[in-house]
Amino acid sequence: NEDLVHTDANLKNQRESKRATALRQCCLPLTGFIDMVKLRKTSIRKHTKITLRLLLPFVALAFILFYPAGNPDGPFKAKYSWWCLFIVRQGITFTLAKVTQFVVVDYVALETSFYIRTFGRLFTLMLIQAKGWPFLSTVWALYNFALNYGTSPLAKHWFFWIRNANIFQDENYTADIVHDPTYLR
C-alpha cells in the first residue's frame, strides 16, 4: 500500500515538473522581451518624458483655445484647437511606430529566430536593414491611415465617445483635413 502511495506521489511530481517545464518553454520569449525592456529602461523613460513634455502643452493649448478663446478658425477652415489635438495624435502615432520598431525589429528579428524560421533570411535581413527612418516612416504612415484617416468619428476625434466634452465632438470642426490632397501626398 505504501508503494502505491509513493508511486502516485512520484507520478504527480513528474506531471507537475512537465507542466513547469512546458510553461517555462512557452514563456521563454516573453522573459527575453522583459529582460530587453529592463536593459533599455532608461532610454524608454527618456523617450516617454520627451514625448509627454512635447505633447501635453498642445493638449493644454487645445483646451484653452476651445473653451476660453472661443475656438477660433485656423488654416484650411479647421479650428486651431483641432490642429493642436491633431499634432498630439501625430505624436502618439509616431510613438506607436517607435514601439512597433522596438518589438518587431529589435526584439523579434534580432533576438529570436522566429522571422528566420518563418520568412527566411532575406526577409529578416531586409527588415533589419530597414530599421530607423525607413521602418518608422512606413509604420507611422500605416498607423496614421488606420487611426486618423476616414469618415468615422474616431478619425475625426479620438475621444468622440466622451459626450460631455464638446472639444471632442463636431463643434470642434475638422474641415476633413485628412482628405485634403496635401495631406495625402
Side-chain angles (χ1 to χ4, degrees):
N1 238 357
E2 288 180 18
D3 291 337
L4 287 175
V5 172
H6 186 65
T7 307
D8 287 341
N10 284 343
L11 287 173
K12 186 177 179 182
N13 287 340
Q14 287 176 354
R15 278 190 226 124
E16 288 177 3
S17 176
K18 286 181 182 177
R19 284 185 195 140
T21 303
L23 185 63
R24 267 188 249 113
Q25 288 176 349
C26 173
C27 296
L28 189 62
L30 186 60
T31 305
F33 181 74
I34 291 169
D35 291 341
M36 189 171 170
V37 169
K38 285 180 182 176
L39 287 173
R40 297 187 178 188
K41 187 185 265 186
T42 55
S43 66
I44 292 170
R45 191 174 288 149
K46 181 180 174 184
H47 181 75
T48 304
K49 284 181 182 178
I50 290 171
T51 302
L52 289 175
R53 286 180 184 159
L54 289 174
L55 297 183
L56 286 179
F58 280 104
V59 172
L61 183 61
F63 275 88
I64 290 169
L65 287 170
F66 187 82
Y67 290 108
N71 203 16
D73 287 335
F76 300 104
K77 297 180 184 174
K79 304 292 186 175
Y80 276 118
S81 59
W82 181 85
W83 279 107
C84 291
L85 293 175
F86 186 70
I87 290 169
V88 170
R89 289 171 20 169
Q90 292 294 316
I92 291 171
T93 54
F94 182 72
T95 302
L96 285 172
K98 295 270 293 181
V99 169
T100 302
Q101 176 179 275
F102 176 73
V103 171
V104 170
V105 178
D106 292 344
Y107 179 66
V108 179
L110 292 173
E111 298 293 326
T112 68
S113 61
F114 175 75
Y115 282 151
I116 291 175
R117 285 184 284 125
T118 307
F119 302 110
R121 293 180 188 148
L122 182 63
F123 175 81
T124 307
L125 180 62
M126 289 186 338
L127 186 66
I128 293 168
Q129 289 294 319
K131 182 181 176 182
W133 280 109
F135 186 89
L136 285 176
S137 60
T138 302
V139 174
W140 189 18
L142 291 173
Y143 276 123
N144 278 323
F145 182 73
L147 297 173
N148 291 335
Y149 185 76
T151 58
S152 70
L154 179 69
K156 293 179 181 180
H157 300 286
W158 281 0
F159 294 107
F160 69 93
W161 43 270
I162 303 175
R163 296 284 177 212
N164 295 336
N166 291 338
I167 192 169
F168 303 121
Q169 303 302 321
D170 289 334
E171 287 87 3
N172 199 3
Y173 186 61
T174 66
D176 292 327
I177 295 299
V178 294
H179 298 288
D180 191 84
T182 306
Y183 180 75
L184 295 174
R185 288 183 193 171

